[in-house]
Amino acid sequence: MTYLVSDACAGYIAMEKERGSSLSVANCWMHCRKEWARACVVMKKNISEMTMEELMEEPAVKGLMLANDIFAADKPLKPLEEGERKEKRMSDVAPLVEKFFSFVHSIDLDDPKVMGKLREAVIYSLNQEERLKVFLQDGSIPLDNGFCERCVKPIALARKNSMFSYSMDGAKCNAIIHSVVETAKVNGADVYTYLKYILSEVPKHLDGKERGFLAEMMPWSAAYRTYEKQELLNHADEHVPESDTPPAGMNFIPKSKRIA
């Protein structure tokens, strides 16, 4: 079984239906919690005049806190092996998931007070309940896909500024470059040094058909780590400022920016 952790995008649901039992969509709890956070932000009541007990009984706040409890309980389980994580989730996290959805089901959507962002949060949670529980079935499924989204964010932000994505080939080239950069970052490699490494080393092997050299092109390879260490030592003086004194003009603040 392949699991796809995502938001509630209809395209992923369609993919699940197309592939049948080979793919299961596990919805992201980060997106669910965000709906409740938005409901809290737009609360129209005067929060400053409410006691803590009254505030915690507000549906939007209560839903957010119950979702936070799920994250807090699952976080310590990340270092565990998949099997042990699943067992601990069933004992520690599953009851909190049931508590969250019991609360969601208790909210009356016919109540005129349940409106706006609160209503959206309730409907989102009800519609995605089945897929939000999928992570309990397998210890390898993360609670949310925040890590992947943070990796994709630079690509999404650069998309509008990309000059050469007016063709499929251009888009493919951009995708390759971004994938290489993000792979370097997630493995703790210096991005500039890694790009320099592969751009200088890969062309040396392109005359033949043997591709075994690709293992040494990975940012986690011993060959690259040795190269990076030497390169950073060779250029160490370029990264150290000569003094703590800012360059001329850096301490100048335009009048329009001064604080009265």
Side-chain angles (χ1 to χ4, degrees):
M1 171 66 73
T2 299
Y3 295 100
L4 173 63
V5 184
S6 69
D7 57 15
C9 177
Y12 299 129
I13 309 305
M15 187 186 300
E16 181 184 50
K17 293 179 179 178
E18 289 176 1
R19 300 198 179 187
S21 58
S22 65
L23 177 68
S24 178
V25 174
N27 273 20
C28 168
W29 271 91
M30 183 178 67
H31 286 83
C32 178
R33 182 172 64 172
K34 183 168 63 176
E35 296 293 328
W36 291 92
R38 286 173 173 169
C40 291
V41 170
V42 298
M43 284 176 55
K44 295 183 178 180
K45 296 186 177 182
N46 192 344
I47 297 176
S48 61
E49 297 180 358
M50 299 174 67
T51 65
M52 182 58 68
E53 291 75 16
E54 292 173 335
L55 182 62
M56 294 303 293
E57 287 303 312
E58 285 295 315
V61 177
K62 192 169 184 178
L64 178 61
M65 292 299 102
L66 289 173
N68 281 340
D69 289 343
I70 296 171
F71 276 84
D74 193 72
K75 185 176 181 179
L77 310 184
K78 291 183 177 181
L80 303 180
E81 295 294 332
E82 295 175 8
E84 187 179 0
R85 187 183 303 117
K86 180 180 178 181
E87 291 181 7
K88 293 291 288 182
R89 275 179 172 174
M90 294 308 297
S91 62
D92 300 351
V93 184
L96 297 175
V97 173
E98 292 303 322
K99 184 177 180 180
F100 171 82
F101 282 109
S102 293
F103 165 72
V104 175
H105 281 282
S106 71
I107 298 177
D108 184 7
L109 289 173
D110 293 328
D111 186 340
K113 295 180 181 179
V114 181
M115 56 184 295
K117 293 298 181 182
L118 173 59
R119 185 180 184 85
E120 291 178 14
V122 174
I123 293 175
Y124 182 96
S125 300
L126 292 174
N127 288 345
Q128 308 307 322
E129 179 176 359
E130 180 181 351
R131 293 185 175 85
L132 285 168
K133 291 181 177 180
V134 171
F135 83 102
L136 296 171
Q137 301 174 11
D138 193 313
S140 65
I141 305 174
L143 184 67
D144 63 78
N145 66 340
F147 176 79
C148 294
E149 291 210 358
R150 286 189 292 274
C151 290
V152 172
K153 187 176 181 179
I155 301 173
L157 292 175
R159 198 162 46 203
K160 291 171 62 178
N161 299 325
S162 297
M163 297 174 61
F164 307 109
S165 287
Y166 295 106
S167 67
M168 289 301 294
D169 287 340
K172 184 178 180 180
C173 289
N174 273 346
I176 292 172
I177 293 171
H178 283 300
S179 295
V180 170
V181 169
E182 292 302 320
T183 301
K185 287 164 62 177
V186 80
N187 283 279
D190 181 77
V191 175
Y192 173 80
T193 306
Y194 181 63
L195 290 175
K196 181 180 177 182
Y197 173 72
I198 59 175
L199 290 174
S200 61
E201 293 297 319
V202 171
K204 298 177 182 178
H205 302 273
L206 295 183
D207 292 339
K209 295 183 179 180
E210 174 61 39
R211 292 293 179 262
F213 74 92
L214 290 175
E216 294 186 350
M217 298 299 106
M218 299 299 106
W220 55 82
S221 70
Y224 169 69
R225 291 301 183 183
T226 301
Y227 174 89
E228 181 185 78
K229 183 178 180 180
Q230 188 59 50
E231 280 292 302
L232 294 180
L233 285 174
N234 291 343
H235 301 282
D237 58 328
E238 298 176 8
H239 301 281
V240 180
E242 295 182 359
S243 71
D244 294 329
T245 306
M250 289 297 289
N251 57 351
F252 171 73
I253 304 175
K255 292 183 178 180
S256 61
K257 299 295 183 180
R258 293 182 185 272
I259 299 176

